[in-house]
Amino acid sequence: MRLVHRRAVAAATLVCLAASVGSAVAAPDPQTSIAAPPSTAALVQQAERIVAAGTPGVVVGTRDERGRRTVVAGTGDLRTDRAPRPHGQFRVGSVTKSFTAVVVLSLVADGRIELDAPVARYLPGVLPYAEPISVRELLQHRSGLSDYGDVLWADPELVARSRFADHEPAELVGIATREPLQADPGTEFGYSNTDYVLLGMLVERVTGNDYADELERRVLGPAHLRDTYVSGHGPWLRRPAMRGYEAVGPTARLTDLTAYNMSVAPASGDIVSTARDVNRFYAALLDGRLLPDRLLREMREALPAFPGFDYGLGLGRTELCGQEVWGHVGGVPGYGTYSFTDPRSDRQVTVVINQGMTQSAAAEDAAYALVALELCGDPAAG
């Protein structure tokens, strides 16, 4: 969770990556059409570059003119050297925030939440500050709230020791609100998992139902995401694509953290899915099948977050090969996810690695290069 902030910054490097990864990716002129989608062999080759940079395993799911493809590289289990399962499940991390934003905006469409209403209207007494913070400001990470993840996940050893710790949302918000606001609400972008924990609490208060039930009714069911669920307090993955690892301790030994109690990230990072389901979700969202047009437009009104990277309501935007691409990234113990969609070409890519918080900068760059390869295309593919 703490390192997701760094990963969001790295999303801004997509533009230059398209031109810098050598013959594997050659960015077309922004004024021309994008190149042909890469061959399956090219996708595998780039996935292997991620492994060569130190990450044990990779799963990649794409959708383009060649259809839907899933490829893997490396190992999904360091004990057995088994390959990753292409259609297995993983923790999507902060990609969860896009799902949560859709649930909240669906409730806005129903007239049960107002985007610009203060959070205190729905959760009285939860925030101790005099300054009002709106629902929109939570969705857009402009609340000024501290991130409790900076305390609970401050280093890999703490992450490993706390793998079975149980948490409640109010406790997590309480950790964050021990600190003063980091900025006046609405004035600047400040990535904070606390924002989305509060949004999950808001959904439950307004509906009287569990967040997971509302997610099923408003997102998973309509988008036909049969392999996606909220892990909640249960630490086990039902059908893991690969074991999840982090480099822990002075020797940076890769430690298996596949089992993890994700109550530490309710509504901000606790969804489990597959590469194909994540692509299906963003396709349904950006095609207008999950929200009314006016609210999808609100979601896509992105403001500057980092150089070259803007953030809307639970949705990130950058420019790649002259095209706007949308999506999110996430990192939780054992898993890192990079998912982007180009609505104009309908190309999609979700890259999953089984090292979410301690992967090398080279592995991260190679993952973004794979995103660029898929969305920009590969002139060598013809």
Side-chain angles (χ1 to χ4, degrees):
M1 291 163 58
R2 188 183 183 198
L3 299 186
V4 170
H5 183 99
R6 175 174 61 83
R7 199 163 290 116
V9 175
T13 67
L14 277 166
V15 178
C16 63
L17 276 172
S20 69
V21 294
S23 59
V25 181
D29 187 291
Q31 303 304 314
T32 67
S33 60
I34 59 178
S39 67
T40 300
L43 289 174
V44 171
Q45 183 180 53
Q46 188 58 41
E48 288 173 344
R49 290 191 175 106
I50 302 174
V51 175
T55 295
V58 182
V59 174
V60 182
T62 67
R63 185 187 69 144
D64 56 34
E65 299 91 316
R66 296 179 185 269
R68 298 182 189 273
R69 294 177 289 171
T70 307
V71 303
V72 302
T75 181
D77 189 330
L78 292 176
R79 294 175 304 169
T80 65
D81 202 31
R82 174 183 57 80
R85 296 186 178 97
H87 303 299
Q89 295 167 323
F90 55 91
R91 304 188 191 282
V92 306
S94 283
V95 173
T96 298
K97 292 178 174 65
S98 294
F99 287 77
T100 297
V102 173
V103 174
V104 172
L105 290 170
S106 175
L107 288 164
V108 171
D110 289 351
R112 302 175 73 176
I113 293 175
E114 292 185 22
L115 263 179
D116 294 303
V119 177
R121 176 187 298 180
Y122 308 103
L123 298 171
V126 172
L127 296 176
Y129 309 109
E131 300 91 334
I133 297 171
S134 71
V135 175
R136 185 190 300 272
E137 288 161 350
L138 293 181
L139 286 164
Q140 205 159 36
H141 289 303
R142 291 178 179 268
S143 68
L145 288 165
S146 175
D147 188 345
Y148 68 88
D150 290 343
V151 175
L152 294 185
W153 282 0
D155 63 75
E157 290 189 74
L158 179 58
V159 168
R161 287 198 307 270
S162 60
R163 61 190 299 182
F164 295 117
D166 211 47
H167 301 276
E168 294 297 332
E171 170 207 348
L172 303 174
V173 173
I175 292 171
T177 54
R178 293 172 193 162
E179 300 293 327
L181 289 175
Q182 307 300 295
D184 290 336
T187 61
E188 61 185 68
F189 181 88
Y191 193 95
S192 175
N193 289 282
T194 310
D195 294 339
Y196 277 74
V197 173
L198 281 162
L199 289 167
M201 295 170 67
L202 186 157
V203 167
E204 295 190 342
R205 180 68 62 85
V206 166
T207 65
N209 299 321
D210 288 342
Y211 165 81
D213 293 336
E214 290 298 318
L215 180 72
E216 176 66 37
R217 186 163 76 87
R218 297 174 182 275
V219 180
L220 306 188
H224 308 291
L225 307 183
R226 298 180 180 87
D227 294 317
T228 302
Y229 65 95
V230 175
S231 59
H233 296 265
W236 312 109
L237 290 180
R238 296 173 185 170
R239 186 165 48 86
M242 45 192 172
R243 310 296 297 177
Y245 301 94
E246 298 298 343
V248 176
T251 62
R253 180 176 62 88
L254 286 178
T255 302
D256 190 331
L257 298 181
T258 309
Y260 210 97
N261 185 332
M262 288 304 299
S263 64
V264 72
S268 67
D270 61 346
I271 283 179
V272 173
S273 192
T274 64
R276 181 166 290 186
D277 260 14
V278 172
N279 284 342
R280 281 192 180 121
F281 163 70
Y282 280 115
L285 171 60
L286 294 168
D287 287 349
R289 286 178 274 147
L290 298 180
L291 291 172
D293 287 347
R294 66 180 180 88
L295 288 172
L296 181 56
R297 286 195 298 270
E298 293 263 18
M299 194 177 193
R300 293 175 64 169
E301 287 183 3
L303 298 175
F306 307 104
F309 187 82
D310 303 330
Y311 201 85
L313 306 184
L315 194 61
R317 176 183 68 194
T318 191
E319 186 174 294
L320 182 61
C321 304
Q323 311 271 39
E324 283 188 349
V325 300
W326 296 85
H328 215 290
V329 294
V332 289
Y335 300 96
T337 304
Y338 309 75
S339 186
F340 288 91
T341 294
D342 179 349
R344 289 180 56 184
S345 67
D346 287 332
R347 290 187 186 178
Q348 297 187 277
V349 57
T350 294
V351 180
V352 188
I353 61 178
N354 57 350
Q355 191 174 352
M357 304 179 77
T358 59
Q359 77 272 28
S360 68
E364 187 168 70
D365 287 349
Y368 278 116
L370 201 157
V371 171
L373 173 64
E374 172 59 34
L375 297 185
C376 284
D378 181 2

